[in-house]
């Protein structure tokens, strides 16, 4: 479905992360939050990232992702209802694409993304550009 819609957020986000990442992409540990079926992981692998962990709130999506063989670790987590199942300061980069949106992942998750990312690491996220997501943009600016 997303191919028909020409959904570009995974490739754009992965390209941006790769363009600003300092150090070895091959050795970096990246957390793909709300990973779904692994669209972002496919793009990250194409950019040289090899160590990927993923989490999602849907067991079915995680099974699709698991079959692609792109992740070293996959976990089930209902974002906004559960704490991210990751140690503080663990990841070189954390990425969430297409899920920060009204009715999906709440903006209150953003501080958790920062917490599980190493000091000096990168957090890359996307959100939709519509009026219902104004709260996300305000929180990001803060």
């Amino acid at each position: 479905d997303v191919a028909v819609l020409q959904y570009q957020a995974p490739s754009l986000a992965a390209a941006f992360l790769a363009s600003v990442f300092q150090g070895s992409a091959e050795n970096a540990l990246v957390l793909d939050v709300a990973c779904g079926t692994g669209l972002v992981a496919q793009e990250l692998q194409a950019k040289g990232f090899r160590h990927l962990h993923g989490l999602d709130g849907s067991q079915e999506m995680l099974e699709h992702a698991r079959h692609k063989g792109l992740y070293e670790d996959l976990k089930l987590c209902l974002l906004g209802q559960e704490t991210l199942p990751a140690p503080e300061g663990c990841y070189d980069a954390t990425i969430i694409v297409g899920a920060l949106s009204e009715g999906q992942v709440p903006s209150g998750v953003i501080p958790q993304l920062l917490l599980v990312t190493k000091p000096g690491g990168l957090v890359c996220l996307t959100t939709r550009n519509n009026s219902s997501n104004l709260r996300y943009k305000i929180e990001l600016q803060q």
Side-chain angles (χ1 to χ4, degrees):
D1 292 342
V2 292
V4 170
L5 296 172
Q6 298 178 337
Y7 182 53
Q8 296 180 6
S11 62
L12 294 172
F16 181 76
L17 180 59
S19 75
V20 298
F21 190 79
Q22 301 288 316
S24 169
E26 187 174 325
N27 295 324
L29 181 58
V30 180
L31 177 63
D32 183 3
V33 178
C35 67
T37 62
L39 294 175
V40 173
Q42 289 174 296
E43 298 294 337
L44 288 170
Q45 288 239 337
K47 299 291 183 194
F49 292 93
R50 299 289 177 251
H51 302 286
L52 306 174
H53 290 184
L55 60 91
D56 199 272
S58 165
Q59 187 64 47
E60 292 81 11
M61 293 289 226
L62 288 172
E63 287 307 314
H64 284 286
R66 190 176 322 280
H67 287 27
K68 290 181 179 178
L70 301 169
Y71 296 95
E72 294 176 345
D73 186 43
L74 286 166
K75 290 189 171 117
L76 182 67
C77 178
L78 288 173
L79 299 164
Q81 296 178 22
E82 301 173 311
T83 303
L84 291 180
E88 187 174 323
C90 180
Y91 295 98
D92 297 294
T94 302
I95 188 166
I96 181 170
V97 177
L100 280 176
S101 179
E102 195 70 31
Q104 289 185 309
V105 175
S107 60
V109 167
I110 294 170
Q112 288 185 49
L113 302 179
L114 296 169
L115 189 63
V116 300
T117 305
K118 289 178 180 178
L122 299 174
V123 176
C124 179
L125 46 91
T126 68
T127 188
R128 292 174 183 86
N129 191 21
N130 55 31
S131 59
S132 67
N133 282 341
L134 181 59
R135 178 174 40 131
Y136 291 83
K137 293 178 182 181
I138 292 169
E139 188 156 330
L140 290 172
Q141 290 171 348
Q142 293 173 348

